[in-house]
Amino acid sequence: MKPATAAKKLGVYLEATPPEFQEGVVSRDELNALQAEPPEWLRELRRTGPHPRPVVAAKLGVSIGGLTRGGITEALTTEQIDAIKTENPDWLVRERATQAEVRKETVRGKEKDR
């Protein structure tokens, strides 16, 4: 698979991976090995970032669209994410409330379908 696909499946920001990962092709077996026993570079990326937008959104408890509305368009490090959480700007409060409402509606819809 392409490095971008493998990075997405691993939950890491492709541009922060080692050059040999970015330039190569990752087999299904290699991906499974990376997931089962991540090398130090992968553990470090997962721990400190920079993280891709879907991971940033999940860590902040908002949607990817909510990140965009909040002006976040780039990958962020764990430190930057923690700073945003500490600051708790208005956009984050709004987007978390929106996300909570979406989750409630999803649950209500699933219960209604039963």
Side-chain angles (χ1 to χ4, degrees):
M1 71 186 70
K2 293 180 183 178
T5 303
K8 187 175 182 179
K9 289 181 181 287
L10 292 169
V12 295
Y13 186 57
L14 177 62
E15 286 77 9
T17 61
E20 58 273 9
F21 181 87
Q22 293 179 34
E23 297 163 2
V25 175
V26 181
S27 71
R28 175 68 56 194
D29 289 340
E30 289 170 327
L31 179 67
N32 290 340
L34 287 169
Q35 289 172 326
E37 293 186 35
E40 182 56 35
W41 66 264
L42 181 54
R43 287 194 302 271
E44 184 64 22
L45 268 181
R46 287 177 170 168
R47 188 172 37 255
T48 63
H51 304 286
R53 290 180 40 160
V55 174
V56 173
K59 286 179 178 276
L60 290 174
V62 301
S63 67
I64 293 173
L67 283 180
T68 303
R69 287 187 291 276
I72 307 295
T73 59
E74 299 295 321
L76 298 178
T77 64
T78 301
E79 187 177 309
Q80 291 169 312
I81 293 167
D82 290 344
I84 291 170
K85 285 179 179 177
T86 300
E87 184 182 310
N88 203 25
D90 291 341
W91 70 265
L92 182 59
V93 173
R94 237 182 356 264
E95 292 300 333
R96 282 180 169 169
T98 299
Q99 192 70 7
E101 194 59 39
V102 167
R103 285 189 195 109
K104 283 183 200 173
E105 286 299 318
T106 301
V107 168
R108 235 178 298 196
K110 285 181 181 179
E111 288 173 354
K112 183 180 174 185
D113 290 342
R114 289 184 185 175

